[in-house]
Amino acid sequence: MSKEELHKIEELPDLKVAWHESYKCLAEPLLEYVWEVANHFLPDYEDVSAAPAIFANRYAERNLSVEERYERAREMKMFKGTLDEYKKHEYRKLDDSFKEKFLANEDLQNTIEAYKLDVSKFWYLLLFVYDFIEDIGTNVPTLNKSVLEDFSYFHANLLKATSITLKKNNRKSYAVEREDTIRIIQAALQHFINTYSDIIHSEQDREVMIKQLKDIGLEGFIRNDLSSKISFTDKFSLDISYKKWKFTDMFLFFIERRKATTIPNKKVKVSKDKMMLVSRLIYTVGYDGKRYNEEYDSEGNKNRMLSNLLRRYKNEKFPSVIANNYMVVS
């Protein structure tokens, strides 16, 4: 019997639910664990995270050609432009290449069983957390200061928008899906961004810059020393240690209220250590090597590598980053 047969992963169906209708994914049992983590780390204004729907769509698209993704987006009415326009969008494929590694790790699978977790639901949670961290950690917009974070977040998502919804007192007051209208809004905002960038990167005196920034409506948002510069074009990637930090944060939240039990008829020792569970998941997705998968070192000492990493960052603030697909500033 193969590992995949031993630990059967149930296939997540193609739900074809748009991100703004994420609540329609609530009934999908395979996303139960994803919902639990998403609603905490990626909440939406109405307490229903858009992340599960975004993840489900990215999972469904992972093996499709660009033409197939385009047709699917058109069918879902999420894109109304041409194929050539669609191809211009940056695309990072959801990576599930470590599935066999996940299933073949008996120590990891035994711990999952000891915590009475559903292996399929847990697999999709692992995919979701990994995909989100790659989204905020790989080739993403740079935020140098926090003053304009919301504006940058809005800008990053508006450029990919195929519909715009406005609310008044938490109720929808206007919605538009007309491509030409959305393009006008996108072009107007891009003109504003270009004007802003031209001003702050010019060689003019500070006083002249401040006056020009005030003239385009940024009075009160820009400090006199111009320390609130924000880049809309530069890209960066998180250091691997930061990825492990956020990964651990999300999984410890998920596992903290759960307790492991003894597995009947198991003749091998099963680890119930929560940090060891996360450490083995880090090894599974490739954020570190086999040393993260071993409970003890060659001298019999308990593996404390992950604990030591977190201790190093205990007084630091996680860097401000923008997700490309999951539409959050983290």
Side-chain angles (χ1 to χ4, degrees):
M1 181 180 293
S2 70
K3 300 298 181 184
E4 201 155 332
E5 291 172 329
L6 181 62
H7 307 292
K8 182 69 174 178
I9 300 295
E10 187 178 347
E11 184 64 19
L12 180 67
D14 187 353
L15 303 173
K16 292 185 177 178
V17 173
W19 66 267
H20 58 277
E21 296 181 317
S22 189
Y23 64 89
K24 293 182 179 179
C25 295
L26 283 167
E28 173 50 59
L30 291 174
L31 294 177
E32 179 186 348
Y33 297 168
V34 172
W35 274 110
E36 186 175 334
V37 174
N39 278 338
H40 179 77
F41 287 95
L42 291 84
D44 211 338
Y45 294 110
E46 297 177 355
D47 297 324
V48 178
S49 174
I54 295 171
F55 166 73
N57 282 316
R58 286 182 49 72
Y59 180 80
E61 294 173 347
R62 72 197 188 284
N63 295 322
L64 300 182
S65 66
V66 63
E67 291 80 10
E68 290 170 328
R69 286 191 281 109
Y70 170 69
E71 291 300 329
R72 183 177 179 276
R74 300 240 330 152
E75 179 185 345
M76 294 174 62
K77 298 181 179 180
M78 291 295 292
F79 189 82
K80 294 186 177 182
T82 66
L83 176 59
D84 287 339
E85 291 170 337
Y86 184 82
K87 287 181 177 179
K88 293 178 182 178
H89 293 178
E90 291 185 17
Y91 182 74
R92 180 184 57 80
K93 176 183 174 182
L94 182 144
D95 180 10
D96 65 347
S97 61
F98 45 87
K99 183 177 182 181
E100 183 59 33
K101 189 177 180 182
F102 169 77
L103 293 171
N105 192 331
E106 283 301 313
D107 289 327
L108 174 59
Q109 292 296 329
N110 285 337
T111 302
I112 292 172
E113 184 179 352
Y115 275 94
K116 296 182 179 179
L117 297 169
D118 181 282
V119 68
S120 294
K121 295 177 183 179
F122 195 73
W123 164 245
Y124 291 113
L125 173 62
L126 177 60
L127 276 185
F128 164 67
V129 171
Y130 175 73
D131 192 51
F132 170 67
I133 291 174
E134 287 302 295
D135 207 42
I136 64 171
T138 306
N139 197 32
V140 295
T142 305
L143 284 173
N144 297 326
K145 294 290 180 180
S146 61
V147 176
L148 294 177
E149 283 184 356
D150 286 341
F151 180 68
S152 179
Y153 165 57
F154 177 73
H155 170 259
N157 287 285
L158 182 62
L159 292 181
K160 298 184 291 184
T162 55
S163 66
I164 297 174
T165 300
L166 302 180
K167 290 184 177 181
K168 183 177 181 180
N169 297 327
N170 210 31
R171 291 190 177 186
K172 184 168 72 173
S173 61
Y174 176 76
V176 60
E177 292 187 355
R178 282 190 56 170
E179 183 181 347
D180 51 356
T181 301
I182 294 174
R183 282 189 179 180
I184 290 173
I185 298 172
Q186 290 171 335
L189 184 61
Q190 190 60 56
H191 175 73
F192 182 89
I193 295 293
N194 293 339
T195 303
Y196 167 80
S197 297
D198 288 344
I199 293 172
I200 66 169
H201 293 113
S202 68
E203 297 181 357
Q204 303 174 99
D205 292 337
R206 179 185 298 133
E207 290 73 17
V208 176
M209 288 188 189
I210 293 171
K211 181 181 183 305
Q212 291 179 336
L213 290 170
K214 288 180 179 180
D215 289 342
I216 64 171
L218 285 179
E219 184 176 7
F221 293 93
I222 300 297
R223 296 178 184 177
N224 287 351
D225 61 0
L226 301 179
S227 63
S228 297
K229 291 182 182 180
I230 185 169
S231 171
F232 296 93
T233 56
D234 294 340
K235 301 284 187 175
F236 87 110
S237 295
L238 281 178
D239 183 83
I240 192 66
S241 60
Y242 283 105
K243 291 184 177 183
K244 288 189 283 190
W245 174 7
K246 178 62 73 173
F247 185 99
T248 302
D249 189 28
M250 296 177 79
F251 268 103
L252 285 182
F253 166 79
F254 173 77
I255 204 72
E256 66 180 354
R257 297 179 301 278
R258 291 174 164 86
K259 292 183 179 180
T261 59
T262 302
I263 305 174
N265 303 320
K266 277 288 181 183
K267 297 181 180 179
V268 296
K269 182 182 177 182
V270 178
S271 173
K272 300 176 184 178
D273 188 322
K274 295 178 181 180
M275 289 295 285
M276 193 65 235
L277 169 60
V278 178
S279 187
R280 283 176 170 149
L281 293 173
I282 286 174
Y283 160 72
T284 299
V285 301
Y287 283 158
D288 215 303
K290 287 186 177 180
R291 57 185 187 160
Y292 262 65
N293 193 57
E294 303 298 330
E295 190 167 8
Y296 300 94
D297 64 20
S298 58
E299 298 178 354
N301 299 312
K302 185 77 172 177
N303 185 342
R304 300 292 183 191
M305 299 189 70
L306 185 55
S307 299
N308 292 337
L309 173 73
L310 298 182
R311 191 177 299 113
R312 190 197 322 165
Y313 291 108
K314 67 179 181 178
N315 295 322
E316 284 197 29
K317 182 180 179 182
F318 196 82
S320 294
V321 287
I322 301 175
N324 284 305
N325 293 285
Y326 286 95
M327 304 187 299
V328 295
V329 173
S330 180

